[in-house]
Amino acid sequence: MPERTPLLHYRLSTSVNESDLRYPLAGQAQEQRPGNSRQRAAHQQQPQKLSVFFGVVIPTLLSMFSVVLFLRIGFVVGHAGLYQGIAMFLVAYFIICMTVLSVCAISTNGALDAGGAYYMISRALGPEFGGSIGIMFFLANVCASALYVLGLVEAIVATFGKPEGQDGSLLTFSHQVLPSGYWWSLLYASVIALLCLVVCLVGAHIYAKATFLIFLVVMFVLGTIFISFFAVSPRTILLPSPSLSTSNGTGPVIPSTANFTGFKLATLMGNLWAEYTSDYTTGNMMTFATVFAVMFNGCTGIMAGSNMSGELKNPSYSIPRGTITAVIFTFIIYNLLCVLVACSCDRVLLQRDYGFLRDINIWSHFVTIGVYSSTLSAAMSNLIGASRILYALARDDLFGKALSPAKRTSHTGNPWASVLISWFLVQLVLFSGKLNTIASIVTIFFLLVYAAVDIACLALEWASAPNFRPTFRYFTWYTCVLGIVGCAVMMFLINAIYASASIAFMLLLLLLIHYLSPTSSWGYISQALIFHQVRKYLLMLDVRKDHVKFWRPQILLMVSNPRSSVGLITFINDIKKSGLYVLGHVQLGDLNTLPSDPLQSQYDSWLSLVDHLNIKAFVNLTLADSVRHGIQHLLFISGLGGMRPNTLVLGFYDKCLPEDKLIDPSLSTIQCADSSGPSQELEQNPPLFHFASLRASRDRQDYGEFGDGKVLGPQEYVAIIADAMKMQKNVVLARYFNGFDRAKVLSSPSSSAGKGPLYVDVWPVNLLRPDSSNYVDTCSLFLLQLACILNMVRAWRKATLRLFLCVEEGRSLRGSEEKLGQLLKELRIKAHIYPVSWDQQVALHWQRQGEWGKKNSSHSPDATTEPKKLSAHEEEEEGDYVNSFPSNTTRLSDNYLSAVNKLILDTIQPSPAVRFLYLPRPPADTRRYTTYLHQLELLTQDLGPTLLIHGVTPVITTDL
């Protein structure tokens, strides 16, 4: 694309080293190497001299005045007519004006450094937009360079080509010696492209110094063209022979001459309306879309001023004024030429001779010089611009090793590898053979780039970032929308297939950069947009409108040390069902006695852990004087609005020694249910995790996945459970997940008894209350809901739910089973019901009740109160706490609990992957907390991965 060229022109003309074109990441130091500080100091001392005219207006005009100005004005009016021709320019300039407003807005939103449009967009919007737009800029420049080379070949063949098969010769002169044809034209184009390559590799500075001279030549030739319309007398012009022998279908006779009539009303009337016919250079039938595609290439230089950002005295001032001035000037020139051509030239002349401006000029060589200089300048500028864009992309490492060869430079800093790659791609495009053939492709690329710029600016505007406050005030969100709609409509009108393929390619680039590129410090517009939308939808998430049928678990998992909690973290990720998942951690301390918050330095390790385990979770850390108070903090403050944890998950309080799972490579690869792609092997990288070692805890009591052996006792642990239930939070206690390996369990289903199907066992009855076996209370239904959610996860769908129905002799077994089966049917839960007789266990329970009735049990260390007084207290609390069992904490014997534990172990084989058990409420009397925890430990002894669950809110319904 022409607009990037002047940046290099003036940079080279002021002898700036190529290292100045390097685009340092914001907030990062440049690469340290010998001489870098001296180069930076020299760059800072160099005055930036370019004004609005020399820095913005001239580059933009040179980029926009080229092939269309000299070779395709007649083509536009001849096929589309004056009315549609002017309409085309209005549409094209409407589109580019909307994009100009976006460019001006970005360019006035803070200080600009060297790097042009790519630097500006990538640093303003992040690597996703910057990289994808950068690649599209690169491809647009490559195709535009090839287009201008082909335009120059067309002009050369028209002047020096032999009459046999020539493209645009007017009269046969002695200097018409060059053979014509596809392969000859390809040879000429290759030679010109090779010349551009040599200049870019060796003598680019010579061309840079001639930029202003080329501008003067183009303006002089343009002046002679305007004068010629008034000074040249009417004449008959010999038309070139068509390059293709096929008939165009409009008549058997192909005219050989046409007239330049001068200003005549009859000529104007004959050129007002459209008259599309076949293109004499390609034989293709022209339409509004194909003519527009060719014409639009004269409007694709609007970002040249932005590319001069590093050389301007005041970029924020110069870019908007210079760009808008150039756009207005070119719009006036193009429309004046259309009117003059329509008033003075026969339609046949306009349709059959694209180089007619030479023959009506006061001296035909003026136009030839203008065509040669402008097209060669544009071709070189696009080749140089493409190479610099590729070099910048390679330096930024957005595509990793794919672009690493493009980083190579010469000792003078010239990116010769990028130049060679760009030249090679230009050479490939040259095989298309005709200017009009690739015009639509180039136009679609530029339209896509402009649409992307508008989308990016629209994203900045909608993100409402406080730091996006451009001083250019003529930019609003609807100008971006108009630009996007205009670009999209014209892209699909020109060629729907090319447009769709280009959009898909750009989206693919954006996704690749988003997921594969290293993290940059430029800032991500996607994060700003996500924040804006999430805030809006959180405000709309009204807890007053919650309904039980849309309930989902929102989990706060307390983790003491992630090194021993990998299995539990990954398993809980499976039962969150797209709900909120928070990893909580409490660090003991007092901020008053500390120099700074010690938690801030730990977040990186926790977030790295989340990435490493490939789970979708948030991290919430807190500082407190006790673990209990810390968990209270997290339950109070975690989440926002309607997204707050409703379920607290704790590791079980026992004496199991923790195992470090972050140093075992075989256990460091986790594929979670949320992963939509194939399993990926995550390499262990210990430096990412700065968690405390577990060695010290092996010499003292440690409490599984939760707690710290030094500070958390059984009394406080049970108090945490009671606190959560008081706060109307569901509670889950997880035992034996220290060695749980999700990948192993799911990839090769097995149990401790041997290989077999994958099972999940559910015991939805309060095993500590055998006198009140209820399967339909709130807690039991919550148990069923979580088991069903686990079974709905893709990786766990092959698991079979086994639901155990505990019954006693004398009760209707068939009736209970049918009733439970009907309930499961209504709840849409697929599970196999297994009746279990537990008369022997219940007998042990009632035997203990008889003993307790005779005397106060001496087996309980907490039973220090008089029996009558204790009984009265328990009876009072029984009415206050649903599902509480204060009396049972003293009446349950260890024999009964061991018997129930053995019943669970021996009921059915093979053993399940995980068990779901009913968690009763803690006793009302805090003195019995230790006994309560002891009973839970006996109940779950050696059961393998087990969840003790207590639900406090309705979570399931049979209604539609």
Side-chain angles (χ1 to χ4, degrees), residues 612 665 668-669 680-686 688-689:
H612 175 73
S668 64
T669 301
Q680 297 180 356
E681 186 172 358
L682 304 175
E683 296 181 358
Q684 176 64 20
N685 192 1
L688 290 176
F689 312 117

Side-chain angles (χ1 to χ4, degrees), residues 519-531:
T519 303
S520 76
S521 59
W522 308 346
Y524 292 80
I525 187 61
S526 58
Q527 294 300 303
L529 287 173
I530 291 171
F531 178 88

Side-chain angles (χ1 to χ4, degrees), residues 639-657:
L640 287 172
M643 291 192 66
R644 292 183 178 275
N646 56 32
T647 304
L648 174 67
V649 181
L650 306 173
F652 198 77
Y653 187 100
D654 57 19
K655 299 180 181 180
C656 295
L657 291 177

Side-chain angles (χ1 to χ4, degrees), residues 44-84:
Q44 293 174 351
Q45 294 174 1
Q46 179 189 0
Q48 295 178 338
K49 301 177 180 179
L50 297 182
S51 61
V52 176
F53 182 74
F54 287 97
V56 182
V57 176
I58 289 179
T60 305
L61 290 178
L62 276 179
S63 299
M64 300 180 74
F65 282 154
S66 55
V67 172
V68 173
L69 178 66
F70 296 109
L71 297 178
R72 289 298 183 269
I73 282 292
F75 165 82
V76 172
V77 177
H79 288 281
L82 180 61
Y83 289 156
Q84 287 194 17

Side-chain angles (χ1 to χ4, degrees), residues 25 49 66 86 127 225 369 427 472 491 529 553 583 598 691 699 711 778 806 882 892 896:
L25 300 182
K49 301 177 180 179
S66 55
I86 293 178
I225 290 175
I369 294 172
Q427 185 63 48
F472 184 79
M491 283 172 59
L529 287 173
L583 301 182
F691 305 119
D699 298 329
V711 295
T778 299
C806 294
V882 180
L892 291 175
Y896 166 75

Side-chain angles (χ1 to χ4, degrees), residues 784-958:
L784 289 173
Q785 180 78 322
L786 284 190
C788 179
I789 287 174
L790 179 66
N791 198 216
M792 293 170 69
V793 175
R794 179 181 301 175
W796 288 89
R797 286 177 186 171
K798 57 186 176 182
T800 302
L801 292 184
R802 299 188 299 192
L803 186 61
F804 293 92
L805 175 64
C806 294
V807 294
E808 299 178 55
E809 291 184 1
R811 294 189 178 185
S812 175
L813 174 62
R814 183 177 181 84
S816 299
E817 185 175 357
E818 289 180 353
K819 183 178 180 181
L820 185 58
Q822 181 62 29
L823 175 64
L824 293 178
K825 183 178 180 181
E826 293 177 357
L827 297 177
R828 292 89 62 199
I829 298 176
K830 294 181 179 180
H832 297 289
I833 301 176
Y834 293 89
V836 176
S837 175
W838 65 332
D839 294 82
Q840 297 179 358
Q841 290 75 20
V842 174
L844 289 174
H845 168 70
W846 289 116
Q847 179 183 353
R848 178 61 183 270
Q849 308 314 303
E851 296 175 359
W852 191 90
K854 295 178 181 179
K855 62 178 182 178
N856 186 20
S857 176
S858 61
H859 294 284
S860 173
D862 293 325
T864 58
T865 312
E866 293 297 327
K868 290 184 179 180
K869 182 178 181 180
L870 179 63
S871 177
H873 173 71
E874 291 168 352
E875 291 298 330
E876 179 183 357
E877 296 293 338
E878 188 80 34
D880 294 337
Y881 289 85
V882 180
N883 294 329
S884 63
F885 56 98
S887 60
N888 284 358
T889 56
T890 55
R891 297 177 186 178
L892 291 175
S893 67
D894 290 354
N895 290 336
Y896 166 75
L897 294 170
S898 298
V900 173
N901 174 261
K902 188 174 186 301
L903 172 69
I904 297 173
L905 281 173
D906 300 340
T907 296
I908 190 170
Q909 296 296 333
S911 297
V914 63
R915 288 183 172 90
F916 289 72
L917 302 184
Y918 190 113
L919 174 67
R921 276 185 176 271
D925 190 347
T926 59
R927 294 171 296 178
R928 296 175 183 152
Y929 280 177
T930 304
T931 301
Y932 168 78
L933 187 60
H934 173 70
Q935 292 170 351
L936 295 180
E937 184 175 7
L938 288 178
L939 179 67
T940 57
Q941 187 72 35
D942 300 324
L943 289 185
T946 302
L947 295 180
L948 287 162
I949 302 171
H950 186 89
V952 297
T953 55
V955 297
I956 198 168
T957 179
T958 59

